[in-house]
Amino acid sequence: SGFLKSVSLYPDKSAILIEGKTYTYAQLYREALNIMMLLRQSGLSEKVPVIAIYATPSLFSYAAILGVLMSGCAYVPLSIAFP
């Protein structure tokens, strides 16, 4: 994927900026990898093809999206504005 290519080419470059704090591709990848591993170890990624994510903009929310995609699942973003 484009993200994984960016991680390998530019691990120390800025990937996202959230509330004035910058996170590198390596930081974002580590968090996403942890989430992917949790999903796979729990067996959830094999049982559920789509995972809902409800979160505010943060390192965790972006890592969750990437981790879900890396686990082979799709995601649906949830919003309180659109119940």
Side-chain angles (χ1 to χ4, degrees):
S1 81
F3 172 71
L4 295 177
K5 185 175 181 180
S6 294
V7 170
S8 66
L9 293 174
Y10 316 108
D12 298 322
K13 293 213 178 206
S14 297
I16 54 174
L17 173 67
I18 303 167
E19 295 183 1
K21 184 159 170 70
T22 301
Y23 299 95
T24 66
Y25 282 101
Q27 290 173 305
L28 184 56
Y29 175 72
R30 277 193 300 274
E31 294 298 324
L33 190 61
N34 287 336
I35 293 168
M36 179 201 74
M37 290 170 44
L38 286 171
L39 290 171
R40 286 190 177 170
Q41 289 172 355
S42 70
L44 190 60
S45 63
E46 296 171 8
K47 297 175 190 171
V48 181
V50 180
I51 296 175
I53 297 175
Y54 176 75
T56 58
S58 66
L59 175 63
F60 179 78
S61 62
Y62 291 103
I65 291 167
L66 291 167
V68 166
L69 294 173
M70 289 166 55
S71 75
C73 296
Y75 78 97
V76 175
L78 300 179
S79 170
I80 197 163
F82 302 105

